[in-house]
Amino acid sequence: MSGATLATGPRIPKHDAETRGEKYDRRAGDTAGLGGIMGSLRVIELQLVAFIIVFSASGLVPIVDLVFPVFLTIYAFLLNSLVFPNYGNPESLQVFRGNRLFQVYVILGTVIGLFLPLAYVLGGFARNDQDAVRAATPHLFLLSFQVLSENLISGLNIFSVPVRALLPILYSIRRLFSLNGWVISTWFTTNITNDVRIQDEYWIWFGRVLSAANAIYYTINTFGFLIPMFLPRAFESYFQDRAEYKQEHPKQEKTSAGIHLPSKLPVPSLLRKDNPVEEDKKK
């Protein structure tokens, strides 16, 4: 949830018998395979897919939010191919060990960001409150896409460490704009009149508190956890893995014409000290 599933490491079993070089040579896509895909598509993830389809077809999600996951997926593949190639170390993203406080933090984010907003949207449909549904749906749509992407990335491990760290940050920054619209809708657009029923007043305050809680939580999550803590450790782990990979797989030097030359050239027999022709001349 919001980078936490990636920060605690991918769902790939660790093989103690492998050497360091074998881990680099074995790509995660080969190890995960079909079992990794089916293992990641659990019940909750299938429900997220259903939410995404319903939200997309409902017309309640702005076109910018609909296009954003597609753009981010293409951008991630370009970064992974051109800028940050994957060196195939599945343990690189285990930057946090997941103590109890961190688990409480993750559960709190799941409840505030996913379960309660989903109940709020369903309640809005039941009450025929289109304004409440329209204000909260973009956040739910983007968060569903983000959670689904994190679980698939964690299971397949096809992206490099920096790309996997940047994805939840970019999703969170985009969702902050959606949360800003939700806060404005509940706190400044919706007014409580004197003749409002007590049930309607509770409903309005529920939307206000929920939108504010999401805005506060994900602002702290983005600028207090993902950027200052998760991202630097991910880059540090990536550059360390890249340095070790280059040490174990030294590249051959290239000439200006692009011809590979070995690091040590063979010495011609005429130039060697034990040249038999030179020995005969001396005799």
Side-chain angles (χ1 to χ4, degrees):
M1 173 67 68
S2 302
T5 56
L6 297 179
T8 53
R11 291 177 300 189
I12 296 179
K14 184 177 180 180
H15 301 280
D16 296 332
E18 291 179 333
T19 62
R20 188 70 173 176
E22 290 172 347
K23 287 181 181 179
Y24 283 123
D25 292 334
R26 179 182 59 84
R27 290 294 179 263
D30 299 350
T31 59
L34 183 61
I37 297 176
M38 298 306 296
S40 64
L41 292 178
R42 299 172 298 179
V43 176
I44 188 171
E45 294 167 11
L46 292 175
Q47 293 175 348
L48 291 175
V49 173
F51 293 156
I52 291 171
I53 295 174
V54 171
F55 293 150
S56 302
S58 63
L60 299 173
V61 182
I63 187 64
V64 177
D65 293 332
L66 289 174
V67 176
F68 183 76
V70 179
F71 162 76
L72 196 56
T73 301
I74 298 174
Y75 182 65
F77 274 104
L78 291 176
L79 282 181
N80 192 73
S81 302
L82 304 176
V83 183
F84 301 110
N86 188 11
Y87 291 104
N89 186 6
E91 289 83 17
S92 298
L93 268 181
Q94 290 181 335
V95 295
F96 294 96
R97 295 303 176 186
N99 54 25
R100 291 187 177 181
L101 182 61
F102 189 74
Q103 292 175 358
V104 171
Y105 174 77
V106 174
I107 294 174
L108 181 64
T110 304
V111 173
I112 292 178
L114 186 61
F115 294 150
L116 290 181
L118 182 59
Y120 181 73
V121 169
L122 294 178
F125 277 118
R127 298 173 59 90
N128 196 23
D129 189 351
Q130 295 297 323
D131 294 334
V133 174
R134 189 175 298 275
T137 298
H139 160 72
L140 260 180
F141 173 80
L142 291 173
L143 184 60
S144 299
F145 242 113
Q146 179 181 343
V147 175
L148 182 63
S149 300
E150 288 183 8
N151 286 320
L152 289 177
I153 290 172
S154 180
L156 297 178
N157 196 27
I158 59 177
F159 291 115
S160 61
V161 179
V163 177
R164 287 179 284 172
L166 287 171
L167 278 179
I169 294 177
L170 296 177
Y171 267 114
S172 296
I173 291 175
R174 177 58 201 164
R175 280 192 302 103
L176 288 180
F177 290 97
S178 300
L179 289 173
N180 181 62
W182 189 9
V183 170
I184 292 176
S185 176
T186 54
W187 285 89
F188 300 102
T189 303
T190 304
N191 297 320
I192 301 177
T193 59
N194 295 328
D195 57 344
V196 67
R197 296 183 303 173
I198 188 66
Q199 297 89 343
D200 296 333
E201 184 177 357
Y202 287 159
W203 172 253
I204 293 174
W205 276 107
F206 174 60
R208 288 180 174 181
V209 173
L210 185 60
S211 62
N214 274 275
I216 294 173
Y217 178 88
Y218 286 107
T219 300
I220 296 175
N221 180 73
T222 303
F223 297 102
F225 169 67
L226 291 178
I227 295 178
M229 299 177 64
F230 182 33
L231 187 62
R233 297 190 186 188
F235 272 99
E236 181 182 359
S237 176
Y238 175 77
F239 288 123
Q240 181 180 358
D241 291 339
R242 187 179 69 173
E244 295 179 1
Y245 177 84
K246 289 184 176 181
Q247 288 180 357
E248 297 176 7
H249 300 79
K251 293 183 178 180
Q252 293 179 334
E253 297 181 358
K254 294 183 179 180
T255 63
S256 59
I259 302 175
H260 293 277
L261 293 178
S263 57
K264 292 184 179 180
L265 295 175
V267 181
S269 58
L270 295 176
L271 300 179
R272 291 190 336 217
K273 294 182 179 181
D274 56 348
N275 186 4
V277 178
E278 295 294 334
E279 294 294 334
D280 294 339
K281 288 182 179 181
K282 291 181 181 180
K283 292 181 179 179

